[in-house]
Amino acid sequence: MEFTLNIPVKYIFGKNTIERIGAEIAAENVKKVLLLAGGGSIKKNGVYDQVVNSLKQNGIEWIELWDVQPNPVLSHARKAIEIVKRDGLEAILAVGGGSVIDEAKAIAGGFYLGDVWEAFSGKARIKKALPIFTVLTLSASASEINTNAVLLNEETNQKWATGAPSLFPKVSIVDPTVQYSLPWNQTVNGFIDSMSHITEVYFTDDIEISLELYEGIMRTLISSIKKLKLNEQDYLPRANLVYSSSMALSAFPRCGCGGDWSQHGIEHGISGMFPKIAHAAGLSALYPAWLEFMYPYNKSIFDRWAVKVFGVETFDEALKAFLKLLVELDSPYSIKQLGIKEEDIEPMTDLILQGGQPGKLKSLDKADIMTILRNSYNYKIN
Ligand code: NZQ
Ligand code: ZN
């Protein structure tokens, strides 16, 4: 175990915290920001009003840019960088879910590059970035507390990631109550993405403290989503889900572990080729086939997962319990349910491999990826 833990994000959590955003920005000596947002959910649920009132009260000027897409796209990030340069903006304020925050990171880092895509294609490294502030409205990506960003190049369908220490948000405001307005499937997406962020690491790296922390987070995610299914506006399970989601992909429980990331690698091929498919819907559809494929490569940890997370004795029983949960939550368990066709599997595999072979438990070659995708396509529940 060897690692350096440095998470320089001021993470402000709880009810009525959005009103603090203006003061936090002013405290960083920033006077003019790009307010970046998605398709308008923040106007409907009152988050936008809370944010701009706070900006006004603290003398912060802003320019708005809307229409960040779920699975954010390169052309929009490029357009944003032009606006930031043209208007002399000093920081990015992301108000939304993972897509808005990821694009904010692309803008903040891309600002200092010849072209932002260089950071995602591996041609350049982000060394400097404009300050990033976030007001989180959907817990899934943990982008509010990590250094990662994912962007879709809509000309090539490559959905690739980048990361750099300078992409940590300076301040993230996390008010769980603003997630009451989420459609149910987005709450479920947040649960699935968070579970996957954990299992990508949990099954790969055998570090006791990490396993124990992750088991606690997974149990909390599961108990919280079950309670939310009964009442989506129940504050405590919502708050537990929200914080667990941040923890799931923060450096804190990870103890320097790298992880496997093949479920994500394959999924980015799905939402890269079909950008209307949400990241977590792709993960959900892959989950059963991916778990079954991976089991032989580290049986003892999968068996431990069954006991510690699901309270059952075998991996098979845990898989059944997890499938039952997916069905109860109305979350997909097969890529066929996403409208993907069998003939899409090979081009999708080729697209995935453009980013290199995913996986650490097993470095997945073309045959492996096609097996997982085919097994997912044909997945049936008895
Ligand atoms: O666009 P608006 O109108 O805001 O609506 C959004 C969007 O349609 C809506 N929404 C968000 N908050 C809401 C709300 N609707 C009602 N009430 C609210 N409070 O939800 C929809 C989905 O939003 P999006 O931001 O796309 O979801 P998510 O947070 O799941 O982010 C997905 C993106 O994150 C990337 C994914 O690949 C995907 O592009 N990821 C980023 C990671 C990271 N930075 O570390 C890691 C992840 O593995 C993931 O890859
Ligand atoms: Zn994810």
Side-chain angles (χ1 to χ4, degrees):
M1 268 171 90
E2 280 163 359
F3 60 93
T4 303
L5 187 63
N6 180 10
I7 310 178
V9 180
K10 185 165 181 185
Y11 182 92
I12 301 174
F13 188 97
K15 293 177 185 172
N16 304 319
T17 45
I18 294 177
E19 63 192 25
R20 292 167 61 179
I21 189 64
E24 292 294 337
I25 294 173
E28 293 290 332
N29 226 358
V30 168
K31 297 191 173 54
K32 202 170 172 190
V33 301
L34 179 74
L35 192 167
L36 189 70
S41 69
I42 62 166
K43 282 243 165 128
K44 290 188 201 136
N45 62 12
V47 170
Y48 172 82
D49 289 339
Q50 293 179 60
V51 169
V52 299
N53 285 340
S54 178
L55 295 179
K56 279 181 203 156
Q57 278 163 15
N58 289 279
I60 310 286
E61 289 178 55
W62 74 93
I63 301 280
E64 294 174 16
L65 181 63
W66 294 82
D67 294 326
V68 173
Q69 290 179 29
N71 298 324
V73 295
L74 174 60
S75 57
H76 198 269
R78 282 185 177 142
K79 179 173 145 190
I81 291 170
E82 278 171 28
I83 294 171
V84 171
K85 287 184 176 166
R86 184 194 68 201
D87 293 344
L89 306 177
E90 298 161 82
I92 318 298
L93 169 58
V95 186
S99 294
V100 176
I101 301 177
D102 279 10
E103 188 173 317
K105 290 176 177 174
I107 298 162
F111 179 84
Y112 291 105
L113 297 176
D115 177 54
V116 54
W117 188 246
E118 290 173 6
F120 292 84
S121 62
K123 286 206 182 111
R125 290 183 62 185
I126 293 175
K127 295 195 184 113
K128 271 170 75 176
L130 294 171
I132 300 158
F133 299 86
T134 86
V135 173
L136 182 72
T137 66
L138 196 179
S139 288
S141 66
S143 195
E144 68 279 7
I145 200 167
N146 69 36
T147 56
N148 313 327
V150 187
L151 199 63
L152 171 67
N153 181 333
E154 64 271 53
E155 284 168 18
T156 61
N157 288 125
Q158 291 159 331
K159 190 178 173 201
W160 285 358
T162 193
S166 54
L167 296 183
F168 272 122
K170 284 230 172 291
V171 178
S172 281
I173 304 248
V174 183
D175 177 346
T177 65
V178 306
Q179 301 196 29
Y180 292 164
S181 59
L182 283 171
W184 174 243
N185 72 315
Q186 291 294 358
T187 296
V188 173
N189 283 351
F191 162 74
I192 295 287
D193 199 14
S194 306
M195 282 296 287
S196 171
H197 293 154
I198 294 175
T199 53
E200 293 274 23
V201 180
Y202 179 85
F203 293 132
T204 316
D205 299 272
D206 187 7
I207 292 186
E208 189 59 26
I209 178 66
S210 213
L211 294 177
E212 289 283 347
L213 289 168
Y214 279 138
E215 283 155 1
I217 301 171
M218 283 189 275
R219 286 196 302 269
T220 309
L221 284 166
I222 293 170
S223 62
S224 303
I225 194 76
K226 285 182 175 173
K227 286 181 193 150
L228 286 176
K229 185 154 193 292
L230 302 175
N231 177 5
E232 291 176 50
Q233 309 209 347
D234 194 349
Y235 181 72
L236 275 179
R238 178 67 73 176
N240 274 283
L241 190 83
V242 164
Y243 190 51
S244 299
S245 170
S246 290
M247 285 298 101
L249 193 51
S250 105
F252 162 63
R254 212 157 144 184
C255 305
C257 300
D260 183 79
W261 298 105
S262 62
Q263 190 187 7
H264 270 67
I266 299 174
E267 193 300 304
H268 286 164
I270 295 177
S271 51
M273 195 157 154
F274 299 105
K276 294 260 179 286
I277 297 177
H279 168 60
L283 291 173
S284 183
L286 286 171
Y287 234 136
W290 181 84
L291 286 166
E292 284 179 359
F293 186 92
M294 289 297 167
Y295 177 57
Y297 297 100
N298 201 358
K299 283 187 182 172
S300 60
I301 303 278
F302 285 78
D303 291 341
R304 175 180 167 140
W305 184 65
V307 175
K308 298 276 244 167
V309 178
F310 290 93
V312 295
E313 303 219 328
T314 64
F315 171 65
D316 273 356
E317 288 172 89
L319 188 61
K320 274 200 193 106
F322 192 47
L323 271 171
K324 187 167 168 272
L325 184 60
L326 292 186
V327 172
E328 276 168 17
L329 298 176
D330 210 12
S331 200
Y333 53 82
S334 159
I335 58 170
K336 200 191 261 179
Q337 292 170 298
L338 305 176
I340 292 171
K341 303 205 167 52
E342 204 160 8
E343 57 267 30
D344 297 324
I345 288 176
E346 186 159 11
M348 188 179 280
T349 303
D350 292 335
L351 177 64
I352 292 160
L353 286 168
Q354 283 181 25
Q357 286 195 192
K360 185 171 156 197
L361 267 185
K362 163 86 174 75
S363 174
L364 302 180
D365 61 19
K366 183 162 180 175
D368 295 327
I369 297 170
M370 287 186 70
T371 301
I372 293 171
L373 286 168
R374 279 214 186 95
N375 289 351
S376 168
Y377 182 83
N378 292 314
Y379 211 91
K380 295 208 171 56
I381 294 186
N382 304 321

